[in-house]
Amino acid sequence: MKSSRAYIILCVAMLLLASCGQQYAAKQKVKEFVRQHATEEIDITSFSDLDSTRVISDSLLQTMRKTALSDPLFKDVRLGDIPKSPTLLYIRMRYGEDSLMLSKTFYFDRDLNEIIAFK
């Protein structure tokens, strides 16, 4: 009984650590993207939790990518290739001042290799 309980606790701890690592990696990729491509100083105030979605269609993804290339907040944007997997990871970055809080949502492939779109 004790060994099965310890095993369950160990598995939950490992899952939490893995998800924390992914969360950290996603935040770092977004911060680096903002640092490299922002046309103005952006004061990032917070991030949402990293999550996954399967509801982004190819046409919506293409529209987001096209819009991203003309977003006045960023210049010289280079996005990663669209993955074949229907599952994407995303994280929302909040920025601005308390009186005017804004956000951008960044989409990644499942392995967090590249930002493939944002809105």
Side-chain angles (χ1 to χ4, degrees):
M1 182 77 157
K2 277 189 172 188
S3 65
S4 64
R5 188 176 298 166
Y7 178 75
I8 291 171
I9 290 172
L10 180 63
C11 288
V12 169
M14 290 175 62
L15 285 173
L16 286 173
L17 287 174
S19 67
C20 289
Q22 282 189 315
Q23 177 84 13
Y24 178 79
K27 286 181 184 181
Q28 292 307 110
K29 287 209 180 278
V30 170
K31 287 177 182 179
E32 182 64 19
F33 180 88
V34 169
R35 188 187 67 71
Q36 287 181 352
H37 302 289
T39 58
E40 61 187 63
E41 179 95 17
I42 295 178
D43 182 25
I44 300 172
T45 57
S46 65
F47 286 95
S48 68
D49 288 338
L50 183 67
D51 206 349
S52 64
T53 183
R54 294 181 66 139
V55 298
I56 304 294
S57 66
D58 286 342
S59 60
L60 180 57
L61 197 54
Q62 290 295 347
T63 301
M64 279 194 292
R65 289 167 64 90
K66 185 176 179 181
T67 304
L69 295 176
S70 61
D71 189 323
L73 192 58
F74 299 106
K75 65 180 188 307
D76 303 327
V77 172
R78 282 169 263 123
L79 299 169
D81 295 332
I82 297 174
K84 297 193 185 321
S85 168
T87 302
L88 301 176
L89 298 178
Y90 69 92
I91 193 167
R92 181 170 291 116
M93 170 190 82
R94 291 178 191 84
Y95 64 100
E97 300 175 14
D98 290 334
S99 61
L100 182 61
M101 191 59 63
L102 303 168
S103 70
K104 292 279 184 195
T105 303
F106 292 85
Y107 294 87
F108 303 88
D109 58 12
R110 280 190 341 185
D111 298 324
L112 288 172
N113 291 324
E114 302 175 295
I115 293 174
I116 59 166
F118 65 89
K119 64 176 182 176

